[in-house]
Amino acid sequence: MPTSSTDYAKIESTMQNYAKDYRKDGYTDEWYSEEQHGFASAIEYNNHKNAMLKSVYENGGFYIGKYEVGTETLRTSVGANLTTPVIKEGAYPYNWITNKQAQEKSKELATRGRTSSLMFGIQWDLVLKHIENKQGKTQAELKNDSTTWGNYRNATFEITKGKYSTDDGDTFTEVTETYTKSASTKVLLTTGAAERNCVLNIYDLAGNELEWTLEKSTDTSSPSVSRGGYYGFIGSYGLASYRNNNSTSAINELFSYRPALW
């Protein structure tokens, strides 16, 4: 067990052991390149991680965004301007963004002297363990099949607010009464559109958009890691604990992000 807030290796190993049910071989919280997250070196990356570990030790945890990061302006292509990020209900998903860009934009969400950042892999795992321990969802719903509470192609549910897109985010339709999403239909939602897809006041941790993290895959051709699945997956594949690895230049309508605050 760690004996101080600077006993970083033991703090990290304790966290990893606590969340071991959601860990996966081949994925680590390590630096790969400046192109991946914007950190210029392993030293810079580790200093950032150590600051997180120290804060978790001293404060007993961290915060994450209630919603996936949103934008007031619809983003539909690689060339979309990097607009101001927001954490609020009813925003368009902040997609068409690389892993590195997502980390840079996450910094803009810092408040009250706190650090805002993409989540490390261990933080995502700890969120899942917290949800399990608080009986928000069972371990099976988190790591076997998240269809019942995520926005997936094979999920059926109703939404009575927000907007939805059936053309991969090119256009959105506002819900005026009730929209029923049928099974086998891919639908991208604005942030916080479906109460069904909320657990412990966290929306769309499963499905809707893949969310970039600071985790690294040992696959050097695809080191950037996103979590949680997206609206085109089925819930038994792209579940809440799902890891997806891509190149550092990956960018499309499937990738968004969610900040952690410590």
Side-chain angles (χ1 to χ4, degrees), residues 11 41 63 66 76 84 111 210:
I11 294 172
S41 66
Y63 298 97
K66 179 177 180 178
T76 60
T84 301
T111 183
L210 288 158

Side-chain angles (χ1 to χ4, degrees), residues 82-255:
L82 292 174
T83 53
T84 301
V86 296
I87 301 291
K88 60 182 289 188
E89 183 181 294
Y92 295 111
Y94 203 125
N95 49 16
W96 290 101
I97 189 167
T98 66
N99 198 173
K100 178 180 176 179
Q101 289 171 336
Q103 170 60 8
E104 289 300 310
K105 298 304 287 186
S106 288
K107 296 176 184 178
E108 297 180 21
L109 293 161
T111 183
R112 298 181 181 179
R114 302 283 187 177
T115 295
S116 181
S117 167
L118 293 183
M119 279 189 270
F120 288 92
I122 183 57
Q123 289 180 293
W124 191 283
D125 297 333
L126 288 169
V127 170
L128 298 178
K129 191 64 179 178
H130 174 71
I131 291 171
E132 177 193 340
N133 286 344
K134 292 294 184 180
Q135 299 182 333
K137 296 295 173 184
T138 64
Q139 190 173 122
E141 291 173 306
L142 293 163
K143 62 181 296 186
N144 295 338
D145 192 337
S146 301
T147 304
T148 60
W149 64 286
N151 178 22
Y152 298 104
R153 186 180 74 240
N154 64 321
T156 299
F157 54 90
E158 293 183 345
I159 62 172
T160 57
K161 60 182 179 179
K163 300 177 182 179
Y164 65 93
S165 172
T166 58
D167 57 7
D168 296 310
D170 286 343
T171 61
F172 280 80
T173 301
E174 187 165 4
V175 178
T176 55
E177 293 183 0
T178 299
Y179 171 75
T180 301
K181 185 211 167 296
S182 61
S184 77
T185 303
K186 295 194 305 179
V187 175
L188 177 60
L189 303 176
T190 52
T191 56
E195 293 301 319
R196 167 199 180 272
N197 301 344
C198 178
V199 58
L200 302 185
N201 209 31
I202 304 168
Y203 288 80
D204 296 316
L205 198 69
N208 206 50
E209 292 276 51
L210 288 158
E211 299 179 22
W212 287 122
T213 69
L214 298 182
E215 198 167 29
K216 178 181 77 70
S217 166
T218 53
D219 180 353
T220 55
S221 65
S222 301
S224 292
V225 179
S226 56
R227 302 290 298 269
Y230 88 105
Y231 62 94
F233 282 159
I234 61 172
S236 59
Y237 176 74
L239 33 88
S241 58
Y242 174 78
R243 287 169 166 87
N244 186 65
N245 42 297
N246 287 271
S247 69
T248 58
S249 61
I251 180 171
N252 56 43
E253 72 278 6
L254 313 182
F255 296 110

